[in-house]
């Protein structure tokens, strides 16, 4: 014979467990989303800039190029191609260090879709090649993005001098990412699967 009183008690226990675990899962999801939103990024610097195979790290102006370098650059420009390669270092901060009531959490970027803008002109896009961990220490971690693009393709209207000066501003002696920005979509792994943030704009002046 079925003991309806025991069955009722058992059902209430199951319901309580379901509610408890459900609330716990919801809380975890909410906290994960909060942690993701607290991740901050900014453009740190540009390294290893090469234009048509020529390093710009020791050059301030067009006059710093050797005669042979100048000939190679003008020849490349006349053929409508000035390929540039460089590494754009993106600084990331994960403030989830266990203080202020938040749990210390290491964020693992599984995807970081980005599009590069130079002087507000949309250029190339890409993604990270492998997951990157950002420890919950409140200290900067660096995400290196290897970038290659043909400057003539996007900036032919600037002319030869304009493109060379642009390249020097980005990767010369006084290299700065001030004329760059990234439109990016970070995705992190969680116990509930990958979660993406809305697209963000990353600049050099401040963490976003």
């Amino acid at each position: 014979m079925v003991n309806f009183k025991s069955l009722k008690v058992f059902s209430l226990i199951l319901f309580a467990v379901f509610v408890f675990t459900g609330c716990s899962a919801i809380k975890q999801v909410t906290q994960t989303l909060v942690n993701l939103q607290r991740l901050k990024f900014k453009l740190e610097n540009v390294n290893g800039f090469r234009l048509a195979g020529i390093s710009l790290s020791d050059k301030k102006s067009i006059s710093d190029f050797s005669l042979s370098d100048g000939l190679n650059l003008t020849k490349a420009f006349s053929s409508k191609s000035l390929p540039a390669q460089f590494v754009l270092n993106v600084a990331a901060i994960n403030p989830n260090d266990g203080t202020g009531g938040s749990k210390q959490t290491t964020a693992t970027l599984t995807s970081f879709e980005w599009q590069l803008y130079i002087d507000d002109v949309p250029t190339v896009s890409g993604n990270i090649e492998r997951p990157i961990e950002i420890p919950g220490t409140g200290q900067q971690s660096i995400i290196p993005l290897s970038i290659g693009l043909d400057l003539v393709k996007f900036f032919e209207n600037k002319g030869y001098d304009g493109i060379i000066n642009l390249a020097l501003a980005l990767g010369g002696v006084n290299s700065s990412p001030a004329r760059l920005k990234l439109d990016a979509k970070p995705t992190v792994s969680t116990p509930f699967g990958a979660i993406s943030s809305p697209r963000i704009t990353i600049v050099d002046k401040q963490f976003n």
Side-chain angles (χ1 to χ4, degrees):
M1 177 182 293
V2 177
N3 188 327
F4 288 100
K5 184 176 181 180
S6 298
L7 184 60
K8 183 177 180 180
V9 171
F10 180 69
S11 298
L12 289 173
I13 292 173
L14 282 178
F15 178 75
V17 169
F18 175 79
V19 170
F20 176 79
T21 56
C23 290
S24 176
I26 291 172
K27 183 177 180 181
Q28 284 183 286
V29 170
T30 301
Q31 187 61 51
T32 298
L33 291 173
V34 170
N35 291 346
L36 174 59
Q37 290 174 345
R38 294 180 70 194
L39 290 176
K40 302 295 182 183
F41 304 89
K42 79 179 183 73
L43 304 184
E44 185 69 10
N45 53 47
V46 173
N47 284 336
F49 198 106
R50 301 185 72 85
L51 183 65
I54 300 168
S55 174
L56 303 190
S57 61
D58 59 345
K59 296 174 176 60
K60 290 183 179 179
S61 65
I62 293 177
S63 62
D64 290 332
F65 289 98
S66 67
L67 179 60
S68 61
D69 286 345
L71 289 172
N72 288 333
L73 289 173
T74 54
K75 181 179 179 181
F77 180 76
S78 63
S79 65
K80 298 187 179 299
S81 178
L82 276 174
Q85 294 85 33
F86 58 94
V87 174
L88 176 60
N89 289 312
V90 179
I93 286 182
N94 178 2
N96 300 299
D97 58 1
T99 62
S102 65
K103 182 181 178 181
Q104 184 175 21
T105 306
T106 294
T108 301
L109 281 177
T110 57
S111 176
F112 191 72
E113 298 176 16
W114 55 264
Q115 182 170 30
L116 177 69
Y117 285 70
I118 304 177
D119 287 348
D120 291 323
V121 175
T123 63
V124 294
S125 59
N127 205 334
I128 54 176
E129 296 179 354
R130 61 185 63 86
I132 297 176
E133 287 192 352
I134 306 174
T137 61
Q139 298 178 341
Q140 285 191 183
S141 298
I142 295 297
I143 305 168
L145 303 179
S146 296
I147 295 176
L149 75 161
D150 193 327
L151 292 180
V152 172
K153 177 179 179 180
F154 299 101
F155 301 103
E156 185 176 8
N157 64 317
K158 288 182 178 290
Y160 175 79
D161 285 3
I163 292 178
I164 300 299
N165 286 325
L166 170 61
L168 288 167
L170 298 178
V173 171
N174 300 315
S175 171
S176 168
R179 296 170 71 170
L180 305 178
K181 68 180 180 182
L182 285 182
D183 174 66
K185 183 178 181 181
T187 299
V188 300
S189 64
T190 76
F192 313 99
I195 295 180
S196 299
S197 80
R199 299 195 74 88
I200 58 175
T201 299
I202 304 173
V203 297
D204 71 318
K205 299 297 184 184
Q206 62 187 15
F207 279 95
N208 291 328

